[in-house]
Amino acid sequence: MGERGREGCCPPMDLMRSEPMHLVQLIIPIESAHRTISYLGDLGLIQFKDLNAEKSPFQRTYANQIKRCGEMARKLRFFREQILKAGFSPAVRSVTEADLNLDDVEVKLGDLEAELVEINANGEKLQRTYNELAEYKLVIQKAGEFFHSALSSAEAQQREFASNQSGEESLETPLLSEQEMTTDPSKQVKLGFTAGLVPREKSIAFERILFRATRGNVFLKQAVVDNPVTDPVSGEKVEKNVFAVFFSGERAKNKILKICDAFGANRYPFSEDLGKQAQMITEVSGRLSELKTTIDAGLVHRGNLLQTIGEQFERWNFLVRREKSIYHTLNMLSIDVTKKCLVAEGWSPVFATKQIQDALHRATQDCNSQVDAIFQVLHTREMPPTYFQTNKFTSAFQEIVDAYGVAKYQEANPGVYTIVTFPFLFAVMFGDWGHGICLLLGTLYFIIREKKLSSQKLGDIMEMTFGGRYVILLMSLFSIYTGFIYNEFFSVPFEFFSRSAYSCRDLSCSEATTVGLIKARDTYPFGVDPAWYGSRSELPFLNSMKMKMSILLGVAQMNLGIILSYFNSKFFGNSINTWFQFIPQMIFLNSLFGYLSVLVIIKWCTGSKADLYHVMIYMFLSPTDEIGENQLFPGQKTTQLVLLLLAFVSVPWMLLPKPFLLKLQHDRHHGQYAPLPDSEESLQSESNQDSHGHEEFEFSEIFVHQLIHTIEFVLGAVSNTASYLRLWALSLAHSELSTVFYEKVLLLAWGYNNVIIIIVGIIIFICATVGVLLVMETLSAFLHALRLHWVEFQNKFYEGDGYKFYPYSFALIDYEEE
């Protein structure tokens, strides 16, 4: 396997094969290790291996530095929460580490955190006091109204009683005689009371529990507070009622206090003297005004502090993340026996060799180190990671392939063909140039605003849609193309390129739905003639055309998959697979389904009425019988016999030779089973060959494996070909749904000649088109195209058992969540 070197910082992209990789070893002096890893992180072209995998995170060299960075990251998360809570946002600007030192930043973050925590604590304390005083003021006002109304009612009753007395009595006359007023002091009842606020939603239960606990020996008075009150404990707005409870005795008082605590009722001291109440309201109002001024000043100071933090937040955050990643990478390096150098190993692309060496040399010079870092390539049989250079256009298509499995190192990449075949197969199922234009307009919105949207946090669905905007762009363009071929615009055919080539049989017919059509003009130049959609006699031919086209596309794509398996075998130098896998597979597939595709094309070109179902069935059941009226070309019978014989021969050709050749190869190597690497044996198995080279050769296992592979291909050739009929089925379903919405909704509403019905019909038509055809049908066609690529196409050649190249790069950690 040869490797091609490349130079330059921007090598051309090669999506067909992954970038050539090599395992490199770096020997870095300890004094320049930090700067070296920093420069390599800026470069982002090396994936380090963990040489201390047996050590726990706490046993590694730079565990304390990572702990420091973690503590600083915690403080930064605290700052971010406080900034967002205050309604600010961190300033977005280009982040650099110029003029920033980690030790200085650590001290600065510690001071700012202590100051902010103190400000928050003082602010919370002042706010709680303010909320308590606000509640206290409400209690004084509302409970004072209880006493004032009670006093007014008592005075009114006294005046009424006085007016009913004899003339010689006056208000100064005692109500009771001196003898009546002289009673036993032990029998006097002294009433107590408590006042406060209780949540309104608990007020009914509060009253009921008080009544039951005291057996009705209380008097409760409540008043509704008009506006929600800020609760001093929770700090939330709560609707509350002011209450006053009158009771007698210490036992009743203790029960009432416990019930108040259980219901979250805040109690406040209160005087029944009206003069003291007015004085208390004045004092509380003054304290509230002072607290308001103090709280506002504290909020201004806190806002200024948070704004100052926000201006530097991104720089500090980037520095902390950067330093943490550097120390985490340094922990993956091993220390040599002299404890003066760090040894690193990692994978890098071959073209990046010069850039890595330049970064090492620059780091040595900047640190004034006397010893330069050493760069050397290691020879290994371990399978390298897979690295495809992609851009914003090709990355989404590569992700579609990687979702199935990452390509093995240097394996043929299906992503190259997926760029064209995936949107095209989607369009075959979705073909309608009206719907395609709608998709195109939606996609252009994402593409035009991609710079702005890429810097925003989108929802999950919007994020996926935005990431696949170029996939949807090609899907919409291909849908417009196939829509012109199908001649469908929201299910309506148009004479877009010329007039229809067909007309009625006679002048008396008004439509051709029952009597058929005759050709009166030249053939419609592009796509399906619009007259086919109005003719019952031609509509089955339209569906038949889509069905046969699905078979042609399926056979073509499966042949492409087998050809790619040949290139894989040739690239890895495996001649056994070339002769005993690629050739018999091509013969078997094309002897049956390739021949069927040729018959379809011949029938289209000649206009023959031959029944292809009959031809293919009796090709197996009665291969020697005469074809008769189903003959499409001279010598067809002989051709079918030869193809049938080749199909039967290709099955044992795939099954038998390869196991025996592998056994001969084993015997030739004195008992060592050392097959050449191919598309079925990865480089990882090569690396295991040294340690397992003397294992016993199990011929039965090899034979059973080949038998399974042969059966899978033979059955898969039939099932996969049938699976491509989903192209026809989805296209038919999409067309019929469009027709139903157009005829049964839009035209039906239009026929009523009523403005309201027409508007409602148009709204329903738009909603059905967007919801069903542009969303659900798009998703359905997307998933079916995905299945055709993953199963029917990629299983012919693609293993997908590799692993991605994840280089150490600061660009990948800028927005990484902790």
Side-chain angles (χ1 to χ4, degrees), residues 88-126:
F88 302 121
S89 59
V92 179
R93 61 183 65 182
S94 58
V95 289
T96 60
E97 63 168 347
D99 302 328
L100 285 179
N101 181 272
L102 187 64
D103 296 332
D104 296 339
V105 170
E106 183 179 19
V107 174
K108 184 70 174 177
L109 293 180
D111 295 340
L112 289 174
E113 183 191 30
E115 183 178 359
L116 186 58
V117 167
E118 184 179 1
I119 292 175
N120 289 343
N122 293 335
E124 290 175 0
K125 185 177 179 180
L126 290 173

Side-chain angles (χ1 to χ4, degrees), residues 158 161-163 165-175:
Q158 187 177 10
F161 179 79
S163 64
Q165 299 299 318
S166 57
E168 62 272 8
E169 293 181 347
S170 65
L171 287 175
E172 284 75 16
T173 303
L175 295 178

Side-chain angles (χ1 to χ4, degrees), residues 180-226:
E180 291 173 328
M181 295 178 62
T182 305
T183 58
D184 187 0
S186 64
K187 295 182 180 181
Q188 291 182 354
V189 178
K190 184 178 181 179
L191 293 178
F193 69 93
T194 183
L197 289 97
V198 64
R200 189 173 303 167
E201 60 181 9
K202 300 179 181 180
S203 60
I204 298 177
F206 178 68
E207 183 175 358
R208 185 180 296 115
I209 295 297
L210 281 175
F211 183 82
R212 291 179 179 177
T214 60
R215 298 183 179 181
N217 293 320
V218 295
F219 177 72
L220 175 67
K221 188 74 174 177
Q222 295 192 62
V224 176
V225 179
D226 297 331

Side-chain angles (χ1 to χ4, degrees), residues 395-413:
S395 60
F397 295 97
Q398 190 63 51
E399 288 296 328
I400 291 176
V401 175
D402 292 345
Y404 175 84
V406 179
K408 186 177 62 178
Y409 177 64
Q410 296 279 285
E411 183 181 13
N413 181 22

Side-chain angles (χ1 to χ4, degrees), residues 16-81:
M16 187 61 195
R17 303 282 177 186
S18 61
E19 289 293 337
M21 310 288 289
H22 53 199
L23 183 65
V24 299
Q25 184 183 65
L26 310 178
I27 302 177
I28 309 169
I30 287 184
E31 62 270 15
S32 63
H34 184 278
R35 184 65 60 88
T36 300
I37 299 300
S38 176
Y39 287 172
L40 292 178
D42 290 329
L43 187 61
L45 286 174
I46 183 169
Q47 175 180 328
F48 289 98
K49 297 176 66 176
D50 190 357
L51 303 181
N52 299 312
E54 71 284 353
K55 293 183 180 180
S56 68
F58 304 102
Q59 295 175 328
R60 305 200 179 197
T61 307
Y62 296 93
N64 291 331
Q65 286 81 350
I66 291 180
K67 186 177 179 181
R68 285 177 57 200
C69 293
E71 180 62 19
M72 286 187 281
R74 182 197 62 78
K75 295 175 182 178
L76 287 170
R77 288 196 301 272
F78 170 70
F79 292 152
R80 179 188 291 273
E81 292 173 359

Side-chain angles (χ1 to χ4, degrees), residues 232-248:
V233 178
S234 64
E236 299 178 353
K237 292 284 187 179
V238 182
E239 292 183 340
K240 293 188 175 184
N241 291 350
V242 173
F243 68 90
V245 183
F246 298 88
F247 55 87
S248 173

Side-chain angles (χ1 to χ4, degrees), residues 270-551:
F270 185 76
S271 174
E272 58 182 313
D273 186 275
L274 295 181
K276 291 184 178 179
Q277 290 177 15
Q279 183 181 358
M280 291 170 62
I281 289 178
T282 303
E283 293 177 358
V284 170
S285 298
R287 292 186 61 189
L288 283 174
S289 178
E290 294 174 358
L291 281 174
K292 181 65 175 175
T293 304
T294 306
I295 290 173
D296 290 341
L299 289 176
V300 171
H301 178 56
R302 181 174 180 270
N304 293 335
L305 179 62
L306 290 176
Q307 194 168 4
T308 303
I309 295 173
E311 292 175 356
Q312 301 292 328
F313 180 84
E314 290 298 334
R315 295 181 65 200
W316 293 339
N317 191 38
F318 178 75
L319 174 66
V320 171
R321 291 178 187 275
R322 181 188 183 103
E323 292 297 315
K324 186 176 181 181
S325 68
I326 290 174
Y327 287 119
H328 179 72
T329 304
L330 288 172
N331 273 340
M332 300 169 67
L333 278 54
S334 64
I335 302 178
D336 71 336
V337 293
T338 62
K339 295 188 177 182
K340 294 182 179 180
C341 295
L342 293 175
V343 180
E345 291 183 7
W347 296 101
S348 70
V350 174
F351 71 81
T353 299
K354 181 69 166 56
Q355 300 172 58
I356 295 175
Q357 290 175 338
D358 291 343
L360 296 177
H361 183 66
R362 192 169 71 254
T364 302
Q365 287 182 333
D366 292 347
C367 293
N368 298 320
S369 177
Q370 301 298 322
V371 182
D372 204 352
I374 299 175
F375 175 93
Q376 58 184 1
V377 178
L378 302 179
H379 298 284
T380 179
R381 301 180 70 88
E382 184 180 353
M383 183 172 66
T386 302
Y387 177 40
F388 294 108
Q389 293 193 85
T390 59
N391 53 34
K392 62 182 181 181
F393 181 82
T394 59
S395 60
F397 295 97
Q398 190 63 51
E399 288 296 328
I400 291 176
V401 175
D402 292 345
Y404 175 84
V406 179
K408 186 177 62 178
Y409 177 64
Q410 296 279 285
E411 183 181 13
N413 181 22
V416 179
Y417 307 95
T418 302
I419 295 175
V420 176
T421 58
F422 185 85
F424 179 71
L425 291 185
F426 169 87
V428 171
M429 296 179 277
F430 193 77
D432 186 303
W433 61 280
H435 297 152
I437 290 175
C438 293
L439 280 183
L440 179 62
L441 294 176
T443 309
L444 289 178
Y445 169 79
F446 288 111
I447 293 176
I448 293 172
R449 297 173 58 89
E450 66 179 11
K451 183 175 292 185
K452 181 178 180 180
L453 293 175
S454 60
S455 61
Q456 298 178 356
K457 285 189 176 182
L458 308 175
D460 292 339
I461 296 178
M462 289 295 292
E463 187 72 33
M464 289 189 295
T465 305
F466 177 73
R469 60 194 180 279
Y470 290 104
V471 177
I472 303 176
L473 173 66
L474 290 188
M475 285 161 48
S476 61
L477 294 176
F478 277 105
S479 296
I480 295 173
Y481 170 73
T482 54
F484 279 124
I485 293 179
Y486 295 160
N487 200 346
E488 291 189 16
F489 178 82
F490 296 98
S491 79
V492 180
F494 280 89
E495 293 183 344
F496 194 81
F497 296 99
S498 71
R499 294 184 61 190
S500 172
Y502 297 90
S503 62
C504 296
R505 289 181 179 275
D506 53 63
L507 298 178
S508 62
C509 71
S510 59
E511 61 180 43
T513 57
T514 56
V515 296
L517 299 170
I518 59 173
K519 188 172 182 180
R521 303 176 190 87
D522 292 337
T523 303
Y524 194 72
F526 186 83
V528 174
D529 194 297
W532 288 9
Y533 287 92
S535 172
R536 294 175 183 172
S537 60
E538 301 294 344
L539 193 57
F541 178 75
L542 176 63
N543 292 331
S544 176
M545 181 204 71
K546 290 184 178 181
M547 181 181 66
K548 293 181 175 65
M549 184 179 64
S550 301
I551 298 296

